[in-house]
Structures are given as C-alpha cells and as structure tokens.
Amino acid sequence: QVQLVESEGGLVQAGGSLRVSCAASGRAFSMYAMGWFRQAPGKEREFVASISASRSGGIRRYTDSVKGRFTISRDNGKNTVYLDMNSLKPEDTAVYYCAASYGDYTGVGLNYDYWGQGTQVTVSS
C-alpha cells in the first residue's frame, strides 16, 4: 500500500511559477512510475506529466499543453515527485493529483494504482 500526499498548492498570477510536490509512503518508491493529473471544474481528469520508474530510465512525458513550461522530476531518496510549473496560464487552474503505478505505467489514462488527495492550483489573470 502506498499513500501519496501532495503539498499545498496555491494562488499565482499568470506568468508566474509554482512547484507542487508529492510525498510517497513506503519503500521501493524508485520502482514506481509517477504521474501528475489535473481536473478543472466541470471537466474530466486529464494527464499532465509522468516519469517512469528509475529502472526504466526515468523517462518523462508531457501533455502538449504543458510542454516547455512544466517539468516533472523525482527524488528517490526523499520518496518525492515534483511538478515545476512555469509561465502559468489561467487555463492551468485545476486540482492537481499525483499518482503512482507499480507496473511502471506512464500513460495518459487513469490506470495508476494509487492516487493522492489533490491540491488546488489557481492562476489568476
């Protein structure tokens, strides 16, 4: 069993930056692929970014709308995954969720094994 706890999100002006993190309980964190998703009001949860397990090379992938602006990274020593968000836009406003996949799934679907509770990120115009 893995528990995921996201850091507090926040309110930021358009063009600003914000980092959110997700701490995982338990051991073998490096063996999990990790993902970030977001859900805006009235919309479905959507894929943002993922990073594969360390054994798979820590390969990153991003949805097109955040490429060049967001960076996902992981610190296996701290059991933590990060999402650095730059050049934020009002359309980035959403609840952000981290997710973990023991099967090293890094896809855009919701086929992750564990989910965090979500953290609100609001970008004002």
Side-chain angles (χ1 to χ4, degrees):
Q1 186 75 11
V2 173
Q3 289 187 322
L4 303 174
V5 180
E6 294 98 342
S7 63
E8 189 172 342
L11 172 64
V12 62
Q13 289 188 330
S17 299
L18 187 68
R19 166 182 268 199
V20 291
S21 62
C22 172
S25 66
R27 291 180 282 185
F29 173 76
S30 66
M31 301 197 56
Y32 286 82
M34 300 298 296
W36 283 99
F37 286 73
R38 66 187 180 187
Q39 188 167 18
K43 295 188 176 181
E44 294 185 349
R45 193 171 299 189
E46 65 172 0
F47 172 83
V48 176
S50 64
I51 184 167
S52 69
S54 297
R55 67 180 185 272
S56 302
I59 298 171
R60 298 171 172 85
R61 63 186 300 183
Y62 300 93
T63 191
D64 286 346
S65 64
V66 308
K67 283 180 181 176
R69 300 190 299 122
F70 289 13
T71 301
I72 187 171
S73 61
R74 65 190 301 158
D75 184 337
N76 292 331
K78 295 182 178 180
N79 281 17
T80 300
V81 62
Y82 303 95
L83 185 68
D84 288 295
M85 302 179 285
N86 298 308
S87 301
L88 282 160
K89 304 175 181 180
E91 51 263 44
D92 294 318
T93 295
V95 176
Y96 282 71
Y97 298 89
C98 71
S101 166
Y102 189 69
D104 207 18
Y105 174 74
T106 57
V108 304
L110 304 180
N111 300 329
Y112 289 74
D113 300 305
Y114 305 101
W115 292 84
Q117 81 286 356
T119 188
Q120 178 70 47
V121 173
T122 303
V123 184
S124 62
S125 58

